[in-house]
Amino acid sequence: MAEPIHRTLGLTDDELEKIIGILGREPNHLELAMYSVMWSEHCSYKSSRIHLKRLPVEGEHVLVGPGENAGVIDVGDDIAIAIRIESHNHPSYIEPYQGAATGVGGIIRDIFTMGARPIAIMDPLRFGPIDDARSRWVAEGVVSGISGYGNSVGVPNIGGETVFDETYIGNPLVNVLCLGILPKDRLVLGQASGVGNLAVLLGATTGRDGIGGVSVLASAGFGDDEEDAEKRPSVQVGDPFEEKRLIECCLELLDAGLVVGIQDLGGAGLSCAASETASRGGVGMDFDVSAVPQREDDMEPFEIMTSESQERMLAIVSPDNLDEVITISNKWEIRSSVVGKVTDGGQLRIMDGFEGATLGDIPAISLHEDAPLYDRPMAAPEDLDAKKEDKPEHSIGTNDVAEDLLNLLTSYEWITSQYDSQLFLNTVAGTDSDAAVLRLKHPLTGEDTGRGIAVTTDGNHRWCAVNPKIGTAMTVAEAMLNLACVGAKPRALVNCLNFGNPEYPNVMWQLSEAVDGMAEACSEFNIPVVGGNVSLYNESQGNNIDPTPIVGLIGVIDDLDMAPPGLKWNEGDRLMVIGPEPKGLSGSAWAFAHDKRNGELNQVDYEMHEKVCDTVRILVNEKLVTAVHDVSTGGLAVAVAEMAVKSGIGCSLARVPDIESMFSESSSRVVIAVDPEQMQSVEEIIQDNGMPSTRIGLAHGNNYTIKGLIEVELSTIQKRWESHLPKAFEAGTTQG
């Protein structure tokens, strides 16, 4: 017996009954297809919405919070910043280049949909083990896709992070963050208004590429290679040059005041854009499916309405302005087609010509507000208490400390060098810094305000595997400290919550705990969450990824008269650690490298952490430190090694008594390098702020030395640091 059509589209029997109740009749094929993509996990957040409500979303500087295409914050001088983070995980495993490329393209559209010019992207990436040939193939394709699209469209890539780990084998995480800048008065929302106004489709033609794309792929895990190959047609294909023209066209339309509302076409395509603009505005829309420019013959209405073909926007335009809209579109060689009319009554009607047959008739709001909301069962692991007691132990006598350090060192320049980080010449600090820094220039005049924008992306699956609540709070804290290291104070946060199959109670428990950790940290630090993304069903052959919440944190530097100090110290600098003593090895890279995955994390001391951030920010902004670096992945040993490599100058450390002191990743610690002449001023500020600190050594020579534990030539560390990724990729890749 054939599978009922609603099940083949991913709808449950209960969801079908709900649709019948909404419509008062059986839905037809077109209507079912539209509900299936709009009620998918990716579009409706049906498994996570109940938990996301616990996040703090309001703040003094928030202009637009969650629910729109991007969050928008006020940064002063009548300037606003739009920020958004998204995932393209599943498409990037099926077709790495196009999956990653269209992820970049999609989030760029989210930004200029708000009236903002995209000015920077960042990419937090996660792949399977570096020694796995298929994972290297995925990584190579993803990096090429990001660079190929981003470099071509002309938006600088200023950072992110890359992780290779066995938990992501068969299911990479490809997250992308984008920033945009706009004058506050150009802010526009994605909603339709004004009965009789027109819906104008701008951009590329519509094809079968992307049908059911991210909206369907995001609601299913991966199986065997043959099954995954069948999903390739669901991956979209991007054109960065079309996107560039589309950006300029849309911004000119907005500057001219010709657009009432505008919405990008991403997941669920026209079904999403038409219904979202209508429902947000409290209106209806008649949509002429026959007016949509198509690049393939004989496309069915459901294909047109659910296609996720790229580089398309839906603008709401007054009939009086239509001719001018068409003129500007033609100037930028952008197709423009009237495909809809705003109506009253709240119905989304899909028509074959405005005077033709009605093919579908759906309450627009039902595709959004009536989407299922699941309070899925949650359960902590049965052996949670036993795991907490199984803390990583260490003994100096049984570990090759030097080899431990070398194994934790990797330069990601092989990846970041493929991205253009200097487009627009606004980038003050990029991939070599704890946070990226951009000059804040007025979006219309280009005048330099003398201020800066700082942004960082952070995530740590190891912490969250041990304790998802505390691990997520630590991730927020790390992001905050990264901003402090460049002299910035946080304004707002976005998140990308990457988890496994929500139908497993332990996965839902992980998600709920992570949300609680983020809510707690953001509330304590007074940081609003202005947007985000949830990516579920990250599993391969029944194996769920470790919980991986990613945060993007944006901050403001009030006086940017020179670049922040960065990681490079000078010969003779004194080295100090600001912050509390390290506690434990649970969740550390060192522990996981030794297959010690259990234990318990220490709660973030929010008051202490905020004081550490304040202290570091003062030292940076008063130009009292030569170099600064937060202690996170790999602990103090790795942080200092990275600074030594970047400086080309070795160090001698003392007061680092054991492996725990070397490799612990407990929160709220920063390494600073200080010119001897500035030591008194630095210590006075530290003392005035009541901060614990320790002098740990001296920057000098050609060796990396920790008294009693390790002595390695800096050249050895440099070689391991630089060669790890290139050597791995020289071994080749495989698709199969």
Side-chain angles (χ1 to χ4, degrees):
M1 180 182 247
E3 186 92 51
I5 187 167
H6 70 276
R7 292 183 190 170
T8 66
L9 293 171
L11 293 164
T12 68
D13 294 347
D14 289 342
E15 289 169 351
L16 175 62
E17 289 302 313
K18 185 172 184 177
I19 294 168
I20 292 172
I22 292 169
L23 300 180
R25 57 177 172 79
E26 291 277 348
N28 61 35
H29 189 175
L30 168 62
E31 293 163 338
L32 271 179
M34 293 174 66
Y35 276 108
S36 77
V37 292
M38 292 303 300
W39 286 12
S40 67
E41 197 69 63
H42 178 82
C43 292
S44 73
Y45 293 179
K46 56 189 177 185
S47 298
S48 58
R49 286 201 326 271
I50 193 170
H51 301 288
L52 299 177
K53 293 176 181 178
R54 303 197 294 271
L55 294 172
V57 298
E58 296 180 351
E60 173 186 359
H61 303 288
V62 176
L63 299 177
V64 178
E68 274 285 346
N69 293 290
V72 183
I73 60 168
D74 187 345
V75 294
D77 297 311
D78 293 322
I79 302 170
I81 295 289
I83 183 170
R84 172 79 171 171
I85 192 169
E86 263 283 3
S87 63
H88 237 223
N89 302 338
H90 293 79
S92 297
Y93 180 71
I94 299 300
E95 184 55 63
Y97 185 96
Q98 291 295 349
T102 53
V104 172
I107 200 159
I108 287 174
R109 289 193 299 279
D110 284 332
I111 294 299
F112 71 80
T113 294
M114 307 302 296
R117 176 174 293 279
I119 57 172
I121 55 177
M122 302 179 80
D123 287 281
L125 308 175
R126 292 336 190 237
F127 305 107
I130 192 66
D131 59 2
D132 176 65
R134 170 64 187 248
S135 296
R136 292 196 300 272
W137 176 77
V138 173
E140 198 167 53
V142 165
V143 171
S144 295
I146 291 169
S147 63
Y149 199 102
N151 295 351
S152 297
V153 80
V155 180
N157 190 313
I158 58 173
E161 48 184 350
T162 305
V163 173
F164 293 90
D165 191 274
E166 64 182 4
T167 192
Y168 307 111
I169 193 166
N171 199 123
L173 302 183
V174 179
N175 297 172
V176 57
L177 177 146
C178 189
L179 292 180
I181 190 167
L182 68 154
K184 284 171 56 177
D185 59 5
R186 194 167 68 193
L187 176 63
V188 64
L189 302 179
Q191 61 184 37
S193 61
V195 173
N197 281 341
L198 306 175
V200 180
L201 182 62
L202 302 169
T205 54
T206 298
R208 290 186 173 92
D209 58 306
I211 291 178
V214 66
S215 54
V216 173
L217 289 177
S219 300
F222 292 116
D224 57 36
D225 289 341
E226 184 176 344
E227 180 184 339
D228 296 339
E230 295 175 357
K231 299 172 182 175
R232 285 187 198 280
S234 293
V235 179
Q236 312 95 319
V237 177
D239 180 350
F241 303 105
E242 178 85 6
E243 181 109 335
K244 177 62 178 173
R245 294 195 303 272
L246 189 60
I247 293 171
E248 301 304 332
C249 175
C250 289
L251 292 180
E252 185 168 342
L253 292 173
L254 292 169
D255 282 335
L258 300 175
V259 171
V260 176
I262 192 165
Q263 175 71 31
D264 76 299
L265 273 73
L270 286 164
S271 292
C272 180
S275 62
E276 276 195 352
T277 53
S279 61
R280 285 175 182 156
V283 296
M285 185 178 293
D286 285 352
F287 193 94
D288 179 8
V289 74
S290 69
V292 175
Q294 301 161 41
R295 64 172 170 269
E296 297 185 51
D297 296 332
D298 302 320
M299 290 186 67
E300 296 287 339
F302 85 89
E303 294 177 310
I304 296 169
M305 292 304 297
T306 62
S307 168
E308 295 178 5
S309 295
Q310 297 291 287
E311 291 81 43
R312 299 179 299 160
M313 303 285 285
L314 190 69
I316 308 301
V317 175
S318 165
D320 295 339
N321 294 330
L322 180 61
D323 288 345
E324 198 169 351
V325 168
I326 293 172
T327 298
I328 291 174
S329 299
N330 290 339
K331 168 188 170 182
W332 291 104
E333 299 180 4
I334 292 295
R335 295 176 186 84
S336 56
S337 307
V338 176
V339 295
K341 295 178 181 178
V342 178
T343 63
D344 56 11
Q347 291 295 116
L348 175 60
R349 296 198 304 167
I350 311 303
M351 320 281 292
D352 185 9
F354 290 122
E355 305 300 325
T358 299
L359 307 176
D361 194 348
I362 297 173
I365 199 169
S366 72
L367 292 170
H368 303 271
E369 300 299 324
D370 293 336
L373 181 62
Y374 293 137
D375 188 2
R376 295 191 184 275
M378 297 186 298
E382 293 182 357
D383 57 351
L384 182 61
D385 290 339
K387 285 183 174 180
K388 287 182 178 180
E389 294 300 319
D390 183 24
K391 296 180 181 179
E393 296 181 358
H394 61 90
S395 171
I396 293 175
T398 59
N399 290 105
D400 184 337
V401 180
E403 193 61 27
D404 282 352
L405 172 63
L406 292 172
N407 287 336
L408 294 177
L409 294 175
T410 300
S411 168
Y412 294 99
E413 190 175 349
W414 182 88
I415 291 172
T416 59
S417 64
Q418 299 183 49
Y419 307 147
D420 191 336
S421 65
Q422 292 297 326
L423 288 162
F424 308 143
L425 301 178
N426 281 338
T427 307
V428 177
T431 55
D432 288 342
S433 183
D434 285 322
V437 177
L438 299 168
R439 294 179 185 87
L440 180 59
K441 295 180 179 179
H442 196 280
L444 295 180
T445 66
E447 182 180 356
D448 194 337
T449 65
R451 302 164 65 228
I453 296 295
V455 63
T456 181
T457 59
D458 294 281
N460 193 307
H461 69 282
R462 293 180 301 273
W463 297 345
C464 295
V466 171
N467 187 314
K469 181 178 180 179
I470 298 177
T472 304
M474 288 174 64
T475 301
V476 175
E478 181 191 357
M480 188 175 170
L481 194 50
N482 281 332
L483 290 193
C485 288
V486 297
K489 192 166 186 177
R491 284 281 173 95
L493 179 145
V494 291
N495 62 65
C496 198
L497 305 179
N498 305 279
F499 289 81
N501 188 332
E503 296 167 36
Y504 289 85
N506 69 304
V507 172
M508 282 308 305
W509 173 81
Q510 292 171 345
L511 175 62
S512 179
E513 289 287 291
V515 170
D516 282 345
M518 185 174 294
E520 180 180 281
C522 288
S523 296
E524 290 286 342
F525 296 138
N526 195 29
I527 299 173
V529 179
V530 297
N533 173 68
V534 181
S535 175
L536 302 179
Y537 292 94
N538 289 293
E539 61 174 335
S540 178
Q541 299 186 358
N543 296 315
N544 293 295
I545 65 164
D546 287 340
T548 312
I550 302 294
V551 303
L553 189 63
I554 185 170
V556 175
I557 302 171
D558 288 328
D559 186 5
L560 186 65
D561 58 353
M562 61 183 294
L567 274 62
K568 295 182 179 180
W569 58 46
N570 295 326
E571 181 80 26
D573 280 348
R574 281 22 179 195
L575 308 181
M576 299 179 68
V577 174
I578 301 174
E581 291 293 319
K583 297 178 182 178
L585 287 161
S586 296
S588 68
W590 180 91
F592 273 52
H594 289 274
D595 202 29
K596 302 173 185 285
R597 297 176 57 90
N598 299 328
E600 180 60 306
L601 304 178
N602 300 294
Q603 293 279 353
V604 178
D605 184 333
Y606 296 112
E607 183 178 0
M608 168 68 74
H609 191 80
E610 193 151 26
K611 287 182 178 179
V612 170
C613 290
D614 289 343
T615 303
V616 172
R617 193 179 302 113
I618 292 169
L619 294 173
V620 169
N621 288 331
E622 293 192 8
K623 303 174 180 59
L624 293 173
V625 295
T626 307
V628 58
H629 193 18
D630 77 308
V631 177
S632 54
T633 299
L636 176 65
V638 169
V640 172
E642 290 173 346
M643 297 173 82
V645 168
K646 292 293 184 183
S647 308
I649 300 169
C651 60
S652 296
L653 306 186
R655 301 182 184 178
V656 184
D658 52 27
I659 286 178
E660 182 175 332
S661 301
M662 287 181 67
F663 297 116
S664 173
E665 298 177 12
S666 56
S667 298
S668 314
R669 294 186 298 146
V670 178
V671 180
I672 61 172
V674 185
D675 185 296
E677 294 184 1
Q678 301 285 4
M679 277 299 297
Q680 183 176 346
S681 299
V682 168
E683 291 189 318
E684 285 176 357
I685 290 171
I686 292 172
Q687 290 166 9
D688 289 345
N689 283 274
M691 287 294 92
S693 65
T694 306
R695 291 196 187 194
I696 60 170
L698 179 70
H700 77 108
N702 299 313
N703 288 344
Y704 176 104
T705 302
I706 300 179
K707 186 178 179 180
L709 292 176
I710 184 174
E711 184 164 0
V712 183
E713 291 183 358
L714 184 58
S715 59
T716 301
I717 291 176
Q718 183 98 31
K719 184 177 180 181
R720 183 68 70 92
W721 166 265
E722 292 177 347
S723 66
H724 192 182
L725 279 193
K727 285 181 79 174
F729 280 92
E730 284 171 8
T733 65
T734 181
Q735 185 174 344

